[in-house]
Amino acid sequence: MAKIKPSKGAPYARILGVGGYRPTRVVPNEVILEKIDSSDEWIRSRSGIATRHWASPEETVTAMSVEASGKAIADAGITPEQIGAVVVSTVSHFKQTPAVATEIADKIGAGKPAAFDISAGCAGFGYGLTLAKGMVVEGSAEYVLVIGVERLSDLTDLEDRATAFLFGDGAGAVVVGPSDEPHIGPTVWGSEGDKSETIKQTVPWNEFHVGDVSKLPLNEQGDIKFPAITQEGQAVFRWAVFEMAKVAQQALDAAGISADDLDVFIPHQANMRIIDSMVKTLKLPEHVTVARDVETTGNTSAASIPLAMERLLATGKAKSGDTALIIGFGAGLVFAATVVTLP
């Protein structure tokens, strides 16, 4: 039996740079209220959301990703040619193949890196970060670009009172590279497929394309609705508040630290009530900065954690070297949590 030469990677990995892109159009709750019977007060009290960003036709998944990636690469102090792999988490790239990661890699001038998409909903950034860490330590790539990007305005049913106000668009990216010390902790991740119906796409693409039209949802004008994201709000809320707080604590334990050691908490920006409840359940000290980007950005699924991270650093609410707990959770139901050092 031949002896295979072991891989030679870095001892550890860390996030070296972060970048974000938010579409130029800011959409207040008043625009949402044109289609649903609700109020600004109700939306704010239920979600904490006041505005969100919606992409123009020119602000495609690729275009937003390229903008965010350029900022992350510059922040990391490397060149695009040094990127050895591009991992993109998205559920709103509608071309089945090829992966949008390949197009992004080409447009940023990365050469010929490994490039692929993953679909893990709101936990997608955590999944991508874990894969990137593994590639750097294993040695298959020295620098990995991880992108979370969504155009959820394309998958929003504006007549659905339960979800019309939730979703926004944007892209967040980080560069993961080698480190002599551990700066990305063990990942606590998993799935609960028995709850997959709580967050889902209303109609599969094949039914929308060739199915029985009589079974497809219609809007108020009688036209066929484009597939959208729907959810069972109360079930999702209970799961996120009670189960995800446990996962967050497991990530702290796996990293060998306590809540007192944290500087920053960056949960998936799903809902302000969920964020506040998790803070209370985890008993986070007053000194811990909590990302509440959802107020002005909405729920951007895979993009929400890197976008929130970028804003905290840009506004000075967090600083390079801070210890942060990140956790993503959503459709699947899937989740991923880890402790990282901010770039």
Side-chain angles (χ1 to χ4, degrees), residues 72-111:
I73 292 168
D75 192 42
I78 66 170
T79 65
E81 293 82 4
Q82 291 176 274
I83 298 294
V86 178
V87 182
V88 178
S89 178
T90 186
V91 298
S92 47
H93 172 59
F94 297 146
K95 188 181 291 184
Q96 191 71 37
T97 191
V100 72
T102 59
E103 182 181 355
I104 295 167
D106 177 64
K107 288 187 178 297
I108 65 173

Side-chain angles (χ1 to χ4, degrees), residues 12-342:
Y12 305 102
R14 72 168 296 165
I15 300 173
L16 298 173
V18 60
Y21 180 83
R22 292 171 174 80
T24 55
R25 184 187 177 193
V26 177
V27 179
N29 288 337
E30 285 73 20
V31 172
I32 306 298
L33 295 173
E34 294 173 3
K35 294 281 188 176
I36 60 172
D37 180 17
S38 186
S39 68
D40 178 64
E41 181 183 4
W42 186 88
I43 292 174
R44 289 175 186 255
S45 66
R46 293 296 293 263
S47 68
I49 299 173
T51 62
R52 73 283 294 147
H53 295 254
W54 283 356
S56 68
E58 293 75 27
E59 291 169 314
T60 63
V61 165
T62 298
M64 293 190 293
S65 297
V66 169
E67 290 292 328
S69 298
K71 295 175 183 177
I73 292 168
D75 192 42
I78 66 170
T79 65
E81 293 82 4
Q82 291 176 274
I83 298 294
V86 178
V87 182
V88 178
S89 178
T90 186
V91 298
S92 47
H93 172 59
F94 297 146
K95 188 181 291 184
Q96 191 71 37
T97 191
V100 72
T102 59
E103 182 181 355
I104 295 167
D106 177 64
K107 288 187 178 297
I108 65 173
K112 299 180 180 180
F116 58 95
D117 300 348
I118 59 174
S119 177
C122 305
F125 176 74
Y127 275 47
L129 184 64
T130 302
L131 294 173
K133 172 187 173 183
M135 284 185 268
V136 171
V137 173
E138 189 270 341
S140 58
E142 185 176 13
Y143 299 100
V144 181
L145 179 65
V146 180
I147 303 166
V149 58
E150 302 292 2
R151 274 183 54 119
L152 294 183
S153 58
D154 292 335
L155 287 168
T156 298
D157 180 355
L158 294 178
E159 296 176 352
D160 181 1
R161 188 172 184 271
T163 62
F165 56 89
L166 287 176
F167 302 119
D169 304 335
V174 300
V175 172
V176 177
S179 172
D180 293 328
E181 297 180 353
H183 288 289
I184 301 176
T187 300
V188 177
W189 58 354
S191 65
E192 298 184 35
D194 60 317
K195 300 179 181 65
S196 62
E197 291 295 301
T198 57
I199 306 175
K200 64 181 181 178
Q201 182 173 310
T202 51
V203 182
W205 295 115
N206 61 325
E207 286 190 21
F208 182 77
H209 179 59
V210 297
D212 183 351
V213 175
S214 65
K215 296 180 180 180
L216 296 178
L218 304 177
N219 63 18
E220 294 177 348
Q221 289 72 43
D223 300 320
I224 296 174
K225 286 186 178 181
F226 192 74
I229 297 172
T230 185
Q231 68 176 31
E232 298 174 15
Q234 286 301 314
V236 173
F237 181 86
R238 289 193 298 270
W239 176 78
V241 169
F242 297 109
E243 298 303 319
M244 292 305 97
K246 297 176 186 177
V247 171
Q249 184 60 55
Q250 290 169 15
L252 289 175
D253 296 341
I257 68 172
S258 70
D260 290 337
D261 300 313
L262 281 178
D263 300 303
V264 183
F265 179 44
I266 311 178
H268 164 50
Q269 301 294 292
N271 179 303
M272 194 76 79
R273 291 170 62 210
I274 291 174
I275 294 171
D276 290 341
S277 295
M278 291 182 72
V279 168
K280 184 177 180 179
T281 303
L282 289 167
K283 298 179 180 178
L284 296 185
E286 288 291 330
H287 74 263
V288 176
T289 297
V290 179
R292 291 188 170 89
D293 194 44
V294 66
E295 180 180 5
T296 56
T297 306
N299 180 343
T300 56
S301 190
S304 79
I305 291 175
L307 278 174
M309 182 187 296
E310 186 265 347
R311 175 160 281 175
L312 287 176
L313 289 166
T315 58
K317 294 180 179 179
K319 62 183 185 300
S320 174
D322 279 353
T323 299
L325 168 63
I326 65 174
I327 179 169
F329 45 87
L333 295 170
V334 294
F335 55 87
T338 188
V339 174
V340 303
T341 302
L342 295 183

